[in-house]
């Protein structure tokens, strides 16, 4: 809670630097250093998205960090205020653009909560949402792990991770027609049913992804360079995580066992058996390990969901929300009018305010929606899960070396679209 | 679910600090008088029966045409007791300010900067109230309802006729 | 006559060499970057087309790929990066955001990167599929071969050479299939 305490020092026993016992030995006390401002970004290869860091360094040591975000402010809120409720979906895709399905899920749940139709969503739609969401989550973590490792020089890991991500993207493309920006969910359900043979294909991909994950683990976990740059670097305490509102893998790495899927189950997550990995130190390696384990848990969820998914409709049976089937739209005047009304006027959402939260790739993704009863949102605020994780860097970075910025920042998994919206 | 929080608030603050409270779609909310903003936040964080130790979100709503025009909206959550609450604090259009909560939850820092940047609500006592998403040269507060959506304020443009 | 013939075929040889040794600087800002990763990754492998190596310093690059939304705040940075690159240089706008602003039309996003730097090839799509990107790269290579890149024209003009008017025609009116 206290913002004034000093910089965090990595635990000495975990850091071994090239024959020196600990980091302090590296400092030659008789060399005078002068503090120097150092600018990183906004276009820097290790800055996912764009962010600018102005570091004050003394020698190699960072004494203060000013992190400037906002280089990717695309005005999600202003845009959604002039879009109909359904038209907001494409904008949500581009928040966390590695796992667009999870953002779609968050937004759809928020609007359904506001409309009070959350209980009428068919079971199959709920399962489909879980499945595509977890596939997205795996893609998200794979990208973070691969990119994080690449920044430390492990290019092979990056290629392996992208290979696996490519399989997942192609599977999602079969589901919704787009590799990345899916816009697959709709208020009241999902747009299409799963394609035939989806289950076997997904299981096959999961089996192959497991092999990739174990390869990545073999390449990294006992790799001296990787461990030296991850262990004990960038420690976040549990108190900080609470005060800053850090959730998701970064929050859990500090020992804060908070996962929306477990604590406030939404969709059908309460029917699956899965574990929430929690770290103990809160350093970079914990964040890496939590992500790896979450991939495994997502695979478990997927397997259970595929085994239990029921047949049936995938869209709510409510003509005010769901578009009529195409065959009717083209053949009957009533259906055509209904179609026209929903497309042009948008879905009618009663006035009110709601805050709905789901677990996205980076933590609690909240949508705070204010509706005034017109066809468009009055305010559609998204609570960005990675903004707090980036904000805490101003506190974590001082005391670290310049070279530690890259792995620390990489493991925070800042996604520009979501952080700056 | 979090009715207990509202009950505790009502019992502790009896001098009219809680202007209104209620529950909507399963979310409990309370509207706080502007001068009680920090004490209420402190109380929620420290009281053993509320224990709102986790900061979730802080933003602002422009209720254009109503009074007070701006509402600062705070969401907090208790990890141990698993409940959450939404607090509003109104700020009038002529002089929109609200006390900063940085001393209560350190994470509000950037969120308050964002609310200042996009809505122009000033947070009194904030250690570093700068723009965060827009650039310093930007004039106005773009998420206010009276800011036109496509009013750009370019920093650079190609000159016509330049060789490039 | 003979002299002209020699210079033009020398130029052609130089341009031929240029088009297969593009060193790119990816200015990655947004979602398109994810697709850009895919283009560089094993399956699509942009290296096969002679644009292998991402250089992470603009001074070593001659192809600037603008990947993702450009906001007003980024404009000065983009301009500066472009100015740091050595001539001749080429610019590709990757995705509709970099081309026109896409569906972000608001106070913060720039309506296309060409507001700040001259763009040679626009690749539409939100995000463009990797195949489309490879197609765009081939288009650019043909443009380089013909000497029609913005900066190539500018260099020629500076030297006082006659710039063929045809070279300035908009890209849309040419298609690589028509070329010999
Ligand atoms: S074109 Fe589409 S995918 Fe690419 S940056 Fe813009 S919004 Fe993102």
């Amino acid at each position: 809670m206290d913002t004034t305490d000093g910089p965090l020092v990595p635990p000495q026993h975990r850091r071994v630097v090239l024959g020196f016992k600990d980091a302090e030995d590296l400092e030659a006390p008789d060399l005078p250093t002068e503090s120097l401002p150092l600018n990183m970004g906004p276009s820097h290869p290790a800055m996912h998205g764009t962010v600018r860091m102005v570091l004050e360094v003394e020698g190699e040591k960072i004494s203060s960090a000013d992190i400037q975000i906002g280089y990717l402010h695309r005005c999600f809120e202003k845009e959604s205020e002039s879009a109909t409720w359904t038209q907001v979906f494409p904008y949500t895709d581009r928040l966390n653009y590695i796992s667009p399905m999870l953002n779609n899920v968050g937004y759809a749940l928020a609007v359904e909560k506001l409309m009070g139709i959350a209980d009428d969503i068919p079971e199959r739609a709920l399962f489909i949402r879980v499945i595509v969401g977890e596939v997205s989550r795996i893609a998200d973590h794979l990208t973070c792990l691969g990119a994080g490792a690449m920044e430390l020089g492990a290019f092979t890991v990056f290629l392996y991770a992208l290979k696996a991500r490519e399989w997942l993207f192609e599977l999602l493309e079969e589901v919704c027609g787009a590799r990345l920006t899916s816009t697959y969910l709709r208020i009241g359900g999902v747009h299409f049913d799963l394609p035939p043979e989806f289950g076997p294909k997904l299981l096959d991909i999961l089996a192959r992804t497991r092999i990739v994950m174990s390869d990545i683990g073999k390449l990294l976990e006992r790799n001296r360079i990787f461990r030296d740059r991850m262990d004990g670097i960038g420690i976040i305490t549990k108190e900080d995580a609470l005060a800053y509102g850090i959730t998701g893998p970064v929050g859990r790495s500090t020992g804060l066992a908070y996962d929306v899927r477990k604590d406030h189950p939404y969709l059908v997550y309460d029917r699956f058996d899965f574990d929430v990995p929690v770290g103990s130190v809160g350093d970079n390696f914990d964040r890496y390990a939590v992500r790896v384990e979450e991939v495994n848990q997502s695979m478990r969820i997927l397997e259970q969901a595929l085994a239990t998914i029921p047949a049936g409709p995938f869209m709510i049976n409510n003509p005010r929300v769901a578009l009529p089937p195409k065959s009717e739209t083209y053949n009957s005047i009533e259906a055509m009018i209904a179609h026209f009304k929903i497309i042009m006027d948008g879905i009618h959402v009663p006035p009110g305010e709601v805050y709905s939260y789901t677990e996205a790739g980076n933590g609690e993704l909240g949508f705070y929606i204010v509706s005034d009863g017109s066809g468009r949102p009055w305010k559609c605020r998204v609570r960005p899960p990675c903004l707090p994780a980036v904000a805490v860097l101003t506190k974590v970075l001082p005391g670290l070396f310049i070279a530690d910025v890259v792995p620390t920042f990489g493991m925070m998994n800042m996604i520009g679209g979501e952080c700056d919206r | 679910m979090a009715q207990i929080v509202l009950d505790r608030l009502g019992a502790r603050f009896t001098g009219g600090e809680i202007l209104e409270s209620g529950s909507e779609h399963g979310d409990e909310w309370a509207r706080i008088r502007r001068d009680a903003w920090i004490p209420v936040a402190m109380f929620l964080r420290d009281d053993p029966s509320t224990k709102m130790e986790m900061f979730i979100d802080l933003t602002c709503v422009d209720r254009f045409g109503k009074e007070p025009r701006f509402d600062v909206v705070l969401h907090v959550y208790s990890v141990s007791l698993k409940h959450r609450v939404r607090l509003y604090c109104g700020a009038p259009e002529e002089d929109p300010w609200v006390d900063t909560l940085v001393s209560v939850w350190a994470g509000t820092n950037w969120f308050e900067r964002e609310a200042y940047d996009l809505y122009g609500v000033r947070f009194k006592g904030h250690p570093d109230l700068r723009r965060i998403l827009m650039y310093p040269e930007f004039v106005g507060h773009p998420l206010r309802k009276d800011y036109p959506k496509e009013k750009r304020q370019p920093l650079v443009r190609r000159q016509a006729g330049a060789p490039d | 006559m003979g002299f002209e013939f020699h210079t033009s075929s020398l130029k052609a040889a130089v341009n031929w060499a240029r088009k297969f040794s593009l060193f790119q600087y990816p200015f990655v800002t947004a979602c398109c970057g994810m697709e850009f990763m895919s283009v560089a990754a094993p399956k699509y492998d942009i290296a096969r087309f002679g644009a292998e190596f991402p250089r992470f310093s603009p001074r070593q690059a001659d192809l600037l790929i603008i990947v993702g939304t450009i906001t007003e705040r980024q404009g000065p940075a983009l301009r500066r990066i472009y100015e740091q690159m050595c001539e001749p240089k080429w610019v590709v706008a990757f995705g509709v955001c970099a081309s026109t602003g896409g569906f972000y039309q608001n106070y913060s996003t720039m309506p296309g990167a060409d507001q700040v730097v001259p763009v040679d090839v626009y690749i539409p799509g939100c995000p463009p599929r990797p195949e489309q990107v490879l197609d765009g790269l081939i288009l650019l290579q043909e443009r380089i071969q013909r000497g029609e890149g913005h900066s190539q024209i500018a260099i020629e003009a500076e030297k006082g050479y006659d710039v063929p008017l045809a070279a300035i025609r908009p890209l849309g009116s040419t298609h690589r299939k028509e070329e010999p």
Side-chain angles (χ1 to χ4, degrees):
Chain A
M1 313 271 151
D2 187 10
T3 52
T4 54
D5 52 20
L8 290 159
V9 182
Q12 303 302 326
H13 61 280
R14 289 185 67 179
R15 180 162 186 152
V16 189
V17 186
L18 298 176
F20 292 92
K21 271 232 182 50
D22 52 41
E24 301 305 317
D25 281 7
L26 280 175
E27 272 175 41
D30 46 352
L31 278 181
T33 57
E34 209 174 282
S35 94
L36 173 89
L38 180 76
N39 177 51
M40 282 178 100
S43 180
H44 185 274
M47 304 283 125
H48 312 208
T50 38
V51 61
R52 178 166 178 225
M53 292 187 186
V54 182
L55 307 171
E56 194 75 38
V57 291
E58 273 164 38
E60 280 283 302
K61 243 191 177 154
I62 298 166
S63 54
S64 79
D66 177 18
I67 296 162
Q68 298 175 3
I69 61 166
Y71 284 90
L72 192 55
H73 179 51
R74 297 188 285 193
C75 328
F76 170 77
E77 285 183 39
K78 198 82 172 175
E79 289 282 358
S80 52
E81 280 165 18
S82 57
T84 63
W85 291 93
T86 313
Q87 282 170 349
V88 178
F89 275 109
Y91 293 109
T92 62
D93 282 344
R94 289 151 182 84
L95 289 172
N96 182 342
Y97 34 70
I98 315 182
S99 50
M101 294 287 193
L102 289 167
N103 305 322
N104 286 181
V105 170
Y107 175 72
L109 288 181
V111 180
E112 284 158 10
K113 188 172 171 189
L114 186 53
M115 295 176 76
I117 55 170
D119 297 333
D120 310 338
I121 314 294
E123 189 106 312
R124 186 174 173 84
L126 302 182
F127 271 82
I128 294 178
R129 287 175 178 187
V130 169
I131 290 172
V132 292
E134 293 304 318
V135 170
S136 261
R137 191 188 311 276
I138 296 177
D140 189 319
H141 287 344
L142 277 173
T143 312
C144 174
L145 296 175
M150 176 184 70
E151 282 152 13
L152 299 184
F155 201 71
T156 320
V157 175
F158 175 70
L159 294 180
Y160 281 11
L162 280 212
K163 177 175 77 175
R165 196 186 74 163
E166 204 65 31
W167 300 329
L168 298 170
F169 276 1
E170 269 159 25
L171 188 77
L172 288 183
E173 187 183 359
E174 276 181 38
V175 175
C176 70
R179 287 164 52 85
L180 196 61
T181 45
S182 52
T183 319
Y184 175 54
L185 268 69
R186 292 291 181 276
I187 296 161
V190 295
H191 197 187
F192 314 104
D193 202 354
L194 292 178
E197 292 299 299
F198 176 84
K201 270 185 201 157
L202 178 54
L203 288 179
D204 177 43
I205 288 174
L206 290 188
R208 284 186 278 157
T209 310
R210 283 217 167 89
I211 300 174
V212 168
M213 288 306 290
S214 93
D215 284 348
I216 292 178
K218 280 182 210 151
L219 280 167
L220 293 181
E221 263 150 42
R222 292 170 58 78
N223 182 328
R224 174 70 185 277
I225 302 171
F226 185 73
R227 290 304 292 257
D228 271 357
R229 296 189 68 180
M230 302 292 264
D231 277 359
I233 310 287
I235 294 178
I236 302 176
T237 59
K238 198 173 163 185
E239 288 69 39
D240 273 348
L242 285 169
Y244 278 83
I246 303 172
T247 50
V250 181
R252 286 193 281 278
S253 75
T254 67
L256 174 69
Y258 171 60
D259 185 325
V260 184
R261 290 176 295 169
K262 262 283 192 257
D263 289 326
H264 303 274
Y266 54 98
L267 296 176
V268 285
Y269 277 112
D270 46 352
R271 301 190 203 170
F272 305 129
D273 177 27
F274 65 100
D275 300 321
V276 176
V278 173
S280 54
V281 187
D283 60 352
N284 283 340
F285 190 75
D286 271 357
R287 293 194 265 282
Y288 162 83
V290 165
R291 286 213 169 83
V292 169
E293 189 50 35
E294 269 186 26
V295 172
N296 293 333
Q297 297 302 330
S298 289
M299 292 188 190
R300 271 178 75 190
I301 297 178
L302 281 174
E303 278 159 358
Q304 295 169 43
L306 282 179
T308 52
I309 182 168
F314 52 87
M315 192 68 193
I316 191 172
N317 183 17
N318 179 344
R320 295 195 182 280
V321 180
L323 287 177
K326 274 278 181 306
S327 56
E328 282 180 33
T329 311
Y330 290 136
N331 291 315
S332 83
I333 186 70
E334 295 83 8
M336 194 169 136
I337 291 173
H339 186 277
F340 181 81
K341 284 293 267 182
I342 290 183
I343 296 290
M344 298 310 288
D345 288 356
I347 292 168
H348 180 78
V349 175
E353 301 188 9
V354 77
Y355 179 78
S356 152
Y357 43 99
T358 55
E359 181 78 18
N362 278 334
E364 177 178 321
L365 177 80
F367 279 92
Y368 169 59
I369 296 183
V370 180
S371 163
D372 63 345
S374 69
R376 280 143 219 267
W378 179 258
K379 178 180 173 73
C380 181
R381 151 93 178 166
V382 45
R383 185 245 178 212
C386 65
L387 183 75
V390 178
V392 82
L393 283 178
T394 45
K395 186 166 175 192
V396 170
L397 287 185
L400 298 181
F401 292 109
I402 296 177
D404 295 335
V405 172
V406 170
T408 312
F409 189 76
M411 280 298 127
M412 293 297 173
N413 196 19
M414 173 193 170
I415 307 292
E418 178 185 77
C419 189
D420 302 347
R421 285 150 287 137
Chain B
M1 208 164 50
Q3 192 57 40
I4 165 118
V5 180
L6 298 185
D7 294 346
R8 285 289 299 160
L9 271 181
R12 166 73 178 70
F13 294 96
T14 48
E17 286 93 340
I18 314 292
L19 298 174
E20 252 181 296
S21 66
S23 169
E24 185 182 353
H25 300 290
D27 299 348
E28 277 70 23
W29 57 270
R31 180 174 288 281
I32 314 293
R33 214 170 61 197
R34 189 151 59 153
D35 55 354
W37 188 232
I38 290 185
V40 167
M42 282 276 193
F43 172 77
L44 283 179
R45 188 191 73 187
D46 296 335
D47 188 74
S49 61
T50 55
K51 269 212 202 143
M52 300 286 185
E53 64 280 82
M54 189 165 200
F55 162 72
I56 293 287
D57 190 19
L58 186 142
T59 183
C60 182
V61 190
D62 180 1
R63 304 195 191 275
F64 191 68
K66 293 201 192 124
E67 249 334 290
R69 175 164 171 192
F70 298 105
D71 264 343
V72 173
V73 186
L74 171 76
H75 288 92
V76 282
Y77 177 65
S78 165
V79 176
S80 39
L81 303 175
K82 294 197 201 307
H83 55 215
R84 58 181 79 217
V85 72
R86 172 159 76 228
L87 303 181
Y88 297 100
C89 180
E93 183 176 357
E94 307 80 61
D95 185 22
W97 63 264
V98 173
D99 284 320
T100 176
L101 293 179
V102 172
S103 55
V104 189
W105 293 282
T108 51
N109 187 329
W110 279 26
F111 288 79
E112 285 178 351
R113 276 174 68 187
E114 189 189 315
Y116 161 72
D117 184 358
L118 302 179
Y119 286 95
V121 176
R122 281 174 298 107
F123 289 86
K124 265 201 185 158
H126 191 284
D128 182 23
L129 200 60
R130 287 179 289 152
R131 284 190 181 270
I132 183 167
L133 294 181
M134 304 309 297
Y135 34 95
E137 295 86 351
F138 196 83
V139 181
H141 300 285
L143 273 193
R144 289 189 175 191
K145 290 279 175 187
D146 46 9
Y147 190 93
K149 177 166 162 252
E150 296 201 20
K151 185 176 164 201
R152 295 190 175 86
Q153 303 185 13
L155 288 176
V156 274
R157 282 290 186 262
R158 262 164 88 187
Q159 282 135 26
D164 278 321
Chain C
M1 187 70 191
F3 177 70
E4 252 174 47
F5 173 74
H6 281 300
T7 48
S8 64
S9 60
L10 179 67
K11 230 184 257 170
V14 168
N15 284 344
W16 177 85
R18 277 173 180 162
K19 77 176 184 185
F20 290 124
S21 63
L22 291 171
F23 282 57
Q24 31 149 330
Y25 178 85
F27 186 78
V28 177
T29 62
C31 0
C32 277
M34 299 301 117
E35 259 337 29
F36 183 78
M37 281 184 186
S38 297
V39 184
K43 182 155 179 200
Y44 294 98
D45 200 4
I46 199 168
R48 293 177 296 158
F49 297 87
E52 168 143 27
F53 216 64
R55 307 304 305 221
F56 287 119
S57 164
R59 288 163 214 272
Q60 301 163 339
D62 47 17
L63 169 60
L64 173 64
I65 305 192
I66 304 171
V67 186
T69 321
I70 303 298
T71 58
E72 295 293 356
R73 191 172 178 178
Q74 255 160 8
L78 178 60
R79 178 82 214 174
R80 188 136 165 212
I81 283 170
Y82 180 76
E83 277 162 2
Q84 282 175 349
M85 290 168 59
C86 297
E87 306 259 337
K89 52 197 169 187
W90 297 275
V91 182
V92 169
F94 184 119
V96 284
C97 278
S99 307
T100 66
F103 76 159
Y104 290 105
Q105 296 296 336
N106 51 39
Y107 56 88
S108 174
T109 51
M110 192 177 279
D114 51 6
Q115 303 280 327
V116 184
V117 296
V119 176
D120 289 305
V121 171
Y122 300 86
I123 305 174
C126 183
R129 293 186 55 91
E131 294 89 341
Q132 229 172 320
V133 181
L134 299 178
D135 193 50
L137 182 74
I138 295 169
L139 262 173
L140 176 73
Q141 286 172 338
E142 269 150 31
R143 217 176 164 169
I144 296 174
Q145 176 71 70
R146 294 196 303 266
E148 291 178 5
H150 280 286
S151 80
Q152 282 169 304
I153 296 175
I155 294 172
E156 299 281 286
E158 219 163 82
K159 285 189 195 146
Y161 291 145
D162 263 357
V163 183
L165 265 186
I168 312 179
R169 73 195 159 196
L171 187 72
S173 64
T174 66
H175 193 275
R176 65 171 192 276
K177 297 258 165 51
E178 298 162 10
E179 294 296 317

